[in-house]
Amino acid sequence: MNVLELSEQEIGRRQSLQELRAMGIDPYPAAEFPTNAFSTDIKENFKDDEEREVVIAGRMMSRRVMGKASFAELQDSKGRIQVYITRDDICPGENKDLYNNVFKRLLDIGDFIGVKGKVFRTQTGEISVHASELTLLSKSLKPLPIVKYKDGVAYDKFDDPELRYRQRYVDLVVNEGVKDTFLQRATVIRTLRKVLDDAGYTEVETPTLQMIAGGTSARPFITHFNALDQDMYMRIATELYLKRLIVGGFEGVYEIGKNFRNEGMDRNHNPEFTCMELYVQYKDYNWMMSFTEKLLETICIAVNGKPEREIDGNIVSFKAPYRRLPILEAIQEKTGFDCNGKTEEEIRVFCLSKGMDVDETMGKGKLIDELFGEFCEGTFIQPTFITDYPVEMSPLTKMHRSKPGLTERFELMVNGKELANAYSELNDPIDQEERFVEQMKLADKGDDEAMIIDQDFLRALQYGMPPTSGIGIGIDRLVMLMTGKTFIQEVLFFPQMKPEKKIPQSTPAEWAEIGVVEELVPVLRKAGFNLVQNIKDEKPQALQQKIGEIFKKYKLEITKPSVDDVAGWIEKAQA
């Protein structure tokens, strides 16, 4: 990397790196550093009358040098602890370089260090480690954005969402509570898996690359499989493969994995997301509702210690049981319009009368879905099962046993958003094929989210699938609810981001056209001239002086341009 692309702090850290190596200190040692304690454990188990020697390691997050003695704050994977360092303790011989040069001058905030010492309590009552040995474990070349407080005001906070999500590794280091969110996410998944395992269900894995994007209505990502010279789809759901396993004789199967949908990004959606799908033989959607509410209550208690959680200012209770409300009743409750018995055109006319953006490509099911999303979905704060969807909205669901035209399906709404989708699964292969055909008709009308016929899945059904209930739960949204986070990006380590914005710069070839040699391009950029046209209003002598200041500051050993050279550049830039 060109030195002119670095900040002054980065240059200083690289100079320290060179000095350390010149002293015979490896700034990135390979040997194991065997720790035996964490910061939190030391504090929790401290006893004033017991002398304990510990070996700890972590980032140095602060340093207060007071002559021959200093304090540093070390941050490990569990928390922070103060370290007391004296010159003569870590340098018992005549050579005091480890303290005077390495610790005081060549170490920087963010460096990883290892410390061996004894635990004690300072005069101010803070539990600390009195160092007897200090080892550099890894040199940090970029400065951390350390928050400073003055008169109760925080400065240099790392709180810009764009930077936090793009540089999650920095966010985790400097912002309190971020790591806790992801530890809670791990608790959600661990508890979910335990409940399913304890129930006797088998965790499985199914293909991520698929010939047909099936299992739901969504726009897929397309990639190309070179070995077969064939386009493939990133899966949008695991459903059809999991049902094949039910056909094959498993009692219950589940998968926790990534799905991919080529759709929008916002506070509730990420194009790749984690989903859990579960299928259990001989069950129906009524059983699945009872199982789901007990599952979510268990998870909430595991994460929060109680079955309630504050979300967006509301106290949401996951304690079973939850309200159960048919979707058409929900729409009538919120709009006064009864969709029962209405034709596709009658529903479209009503939607248009409400100013909704609907068109001729939308079938009856899509129109009802739009109505529910517009007027109902956001109103259900407490967990609510929305049930009995029209058949047009549910191509993989059994017909309702007592309500013609409806299916045995529910969606679970919490805090105004869908969390889960479940069915009494359709296992009639003839009915299933007819539903797929209807979906293809919607595709012909222009619906790019309609399902494609999966002939192999139909073949599997023809071998016979027992009565089955299945559910899909969005893990990312579940974690949002259990941790009280408003944005999905807060519960994803590395959410999808737009390309990083870069400052427009003229290429070396463009600079060469006005006579600037390539080795001077970084000098001009450092002086603030990223584009050729940026120099056209400069005075030759003033620009040459700016270039000279950079030569002097960075001790560059390249030929400095003359005033006449610079004048020639400016003249050509003006042409």
Side-chain angles (χ1 to χ4, degrees):
M1 178 177 285
N2 192 304
V3 68
L4 296 177
E5 297 176 18
L6 303 173
S7 68
E8 288 190 31
Q9 286 195 57
E10 289 175 302
I11 292 170
R13 288 176 179 236
R14 288 173 187 245
Q15 290 171 346
S16 296
L17 185 75
Q18 293 173 355
E19 287 192 53
L20 288 163
R21 284 182 167 142
M23 294 173 66
I25 297 173
D26 184 354
Y28 304 104
E32 175 191 6
F33 188 82
T35 60
N36 63 11
F38 291 102
S39 55
T40 50
D41 304 331
I42 292 171
K43 293 176 182 179
E44 290 170 4
N45 300 319
F46 177 76
K47 296 177 182 178
D48 284 297
D49 58 352
E50 181 179 278
E51 190 173 88
R52 180 185 177 191
E53 188 167 84
V54 296
V55 182
I56 58 175
R59 286 186 188 270
M60 185 173 70
M61 299 301 289
S62 68
R63 173 178 52 192
R64 288 180 290 133
V65 177
M66 299 173 292
K68 297 178 183 180
S70 301
F71 285 99
E73 188 177 38
L74 185 145
Q75 177 173 298
D76 62 19
S77 61
K78 300 281 186 73
R80 295 188 180 191
I81 193 166
Q82 181 173 265
V83 179
Y84 177 60
I85 301 169
T86 67
R87 185 190 68 183
D88 294 336
D89 282 329
I90 66 169
C91 305
E94 292 185 7
N95 187 335
K96 307 298 182 184
D97 280 349
L98 181 59
Y99 183 80
N100 292 337
N101 286 323
V102 176
F103 176 73
K104 289 173 63 176
R105 195 171 59 83
L106 300 179
L107 292 190
D108 291 289
I109 302 304
D111 289 353
F112 280 88
I113 59 173
V115 172
K116 180 178 181 180
K118 294 178 180 177
V119 183
F120 76 110
R121 190 190 298 273
T122 66
Q123 291 181 350
T124 59
E126 185 168 355
I127 298 170
S128 307
V129 176
H130 187 153
S132 58
E133 295 180 19
L134 184 145
T135 306
L136 174 61
L137 300 176
S138 182
K139 184 72 182 158
S140 171
L141 297 183
K142 279 188 174 290
L144 290 169
I146 302 299
V147 181
K148 302 178 183 68
Y149 293 90
K150 184 177 181 181
D151 301 326
V153 179
Y155 297 91
D156 299 325
K157 292 179 69 176
F158 190 71
D159 57 2
D160 179 81
E162 175 86 7
L163 285 176
R164 288 185 55 233
Y165 304 152
R166 199 179 294 282
Q167 299 180 33
R168 182 68 81 188
Y169 38 87
V170 177
D171 188 33
L172 288 163
V173 172
V174 303
N175 286 327
E176 291 185 13
V178 175
K179 182 182 287 186
D180 292 339
T181 297
F182 291 99
L183 292 175
Q184 289 175 315
R185 180 187 177 104
T187 299
V188 168
I189 296 174
R190 184 168 56 249
T191 306
L192 171 65
R193 183 173 274 120
K194 185 178 187 307
V195 171
L196 298 178
D197 289 346
D198 288 350
Y201 308 138
T202 304
E203 183 172 10
V204 299
E205 293 177 294
T206 60
T208 301
L209 285 175
Q210 301 182 353
M211 296 281 192
I212 293 173
T216 189
S217 298
R219 186 183 297 115
F221 284 95
I222 302 174
T223 187
H224 190 75
F225 191 169
N226 289 336
L228 296 178
D229 191 22
Q230 178 175 341
D231 284 345
M232 301 283 285
Y233 298 99
M234 301 294 288
R235 71 181 179 199
I236 56 177
T238 56
E239 177 168 345
L240 301 187
Y241 279 97
L242 294 175
K243 287 182 179 178
R244 286 170 168 91
L245 298 180
I246 295 295
V247 170
F250 281 89
E251 177 201 0
V253 290
Y254 73 93
E255 182 168 7
I256 301 173
K258 291 282 191 181
N259 290 340
F260 306 84
R261 297 183 185 175
N262 198 357
E263 298 167 349
M265 295 187 299
D266 58 33
R267 62 189 289 179
N268 294 297
H269 297 88
N270 196 64
E272 61 170 303
F273 61 97
T274 305
C275 186
M276 187 286 296
E277 289 198 43
L278 165 71
Y279 294 84
V280 186
Q281 63 181 3
Y282 310 127
K283 308 297 183 185
D284 66 4
Y285 80 141
N286 293 310
W287 175 89
M288 189 62 80
M289 278 187 260
S290 298
F291 182 85
T292 300
E293 57 195 9
K294 292 172 187 173
L295 170 67
L296 296 183
E297 181 178 350
T298 301
I299 291 173
C300 191
I301 292 171
V303 174
N304 298 295
K306 55 186 178 181
E308 298 85 31
R309 172 76 212 197
E310 182 175 343
I311 308 167
D312 296 336
N314 300 307
I315 301 299
V316 176
S317 174
F318 289 93
K319 188 170 181 59
Y322 306 157
R323 184 188 183 194
R324 305 181 183 193
L325 178 65
I327 186 172
L328 299 185
E329 289 182 25
I331 292 173
Q332 186 172 10
E333 186 178 282
K334 301 298 180 182
T335 68
F337 182 73
D338 185 1
C339 294
N340 259 312
K342 297 293 191 298
T343 65
E344 176 184 315
E345 189 56 33
E346 287 173 324
I347 297 173
R348 183 179 290 107
V349 169
F350 177 76
C351 291
L352 291 171
S353 74
K354 291 294 185 179
M356 295 173 61
D357 184 17
V358 299
D359 56 47
E360 296 298 321
T361 69
M362 295 181 179
K364 186 175 180 180
K366 186 79 169 178
L367 293 170
I368 292 173
D369 193 28
E370 291 291 315
L371 271 174
F372 181 79
E374 181 78 15
F375 297 103
C376 307
E377 184 172 328
T379 67
F380 296 106
I381 303 302
Q382 298 302 323
T384 304
F385 291 116
I386 302 299
T387 67
D388 304 345
Y389 283 66
V391 63
E392 296 87 352
M393 298 177 67
S394 314
L396 298 170
T397 313
K398 264 191 177 178
M399 296 298 293
H400 199 285
R401 67 197 75 176
S402 61
K403 299 177 181 178
L406 302 182
T407 60
E408 296 198 347
R409 172 187 176 189
F410 72 78
E411 288 186 334
L412 176 60
M413 299 293 162
V414 186
N415 199 42
K417 294 296 176 185
E418 175 198 344
L419 175 61
N421 188 19
Y423 316 143
S424 293
E425 300 294 338
L426 179 59
N427 60 345
D428 179 341
I430 296 173
D431 189 358
Q432 180 65 83
E433 184 172 12
E434 291 171 353
R435 305 265 195 103
F436 275 147
V437 170
E438 290 301 312
Q439 285 286 301
M440 294 305 293
K441 290 179 182 178
L442 292 176
D444 292 340
K445 289 175 65 176
D447 187 346
D448 58 3
E449 294 185 353
M451 288 191 195
I452 302 171
I453 296 178
D454 187 333
Q455 295 292 350
D456 180 69
F457 174 65
L458 289 175
R459 179 168 57 195
L461 286 187
Q462 289 169 21
Y463 281 100
M465 185 175 85
T468 298
S469 183
I471 188 169
I473 297 177
I475 298 298
D476 305 322
R477 285 194 183 174
L478 177 59
V479 175
M480 288 173 67
L481 293 169
M482 294 302 170
T483 59
K485 299 300 179 185
T486 304
F487 295 89
I488 195 171
Q489 291 81 4
E490 293 287 350
V491 301
L492 300 173
F493 272 128
F494 303 106
Q496 290 294 328
M497 304 288 291
K498 294 179 180 178
E500 203 166 349
K501 292 181 180 178
K502 294 184 178 180
I503 298 172
Q505 294 181 334
S506 294
T507 64
E510 290 170 326
W511 283 107
E513 289 177 5
I514 66 168
V516 178
V517 297
E518 186 170 348
E519 62 185 357
L520 287 175
V521 173
V523 179
L524 286 164
R525 289 174 179 168
K526 193 69 175 179
F529 303 101
N530 289 299
L531 300 171
V532 169
Q533 56 263 38
N534 293 154
I535 70 168
K536 65 182 182 180
D537 295 325
E538 291 292 310
K539 302 294 182 185
Q541 191 167 358
L543 179 53
Q544 198 249 11
Q545 184 177 345
K546 290 179 182 177
I547 293 170
E549 289 170 356
I550 292 172
F551 270 61
K552 182 179 179 181
K553 181 175 182 179
Y554 293 98
K555 301 175 182 178
L556 301 179
E557 296 180 357
I558 55 179
T559 304
K560 180 181 175 181
S562 67
V563 174
D564 289 341
D565 292 333
V566 175
W569 303 345
I570 294 172
E571 184 179 344
K572 290 180 180 178
Q574 293 171 338

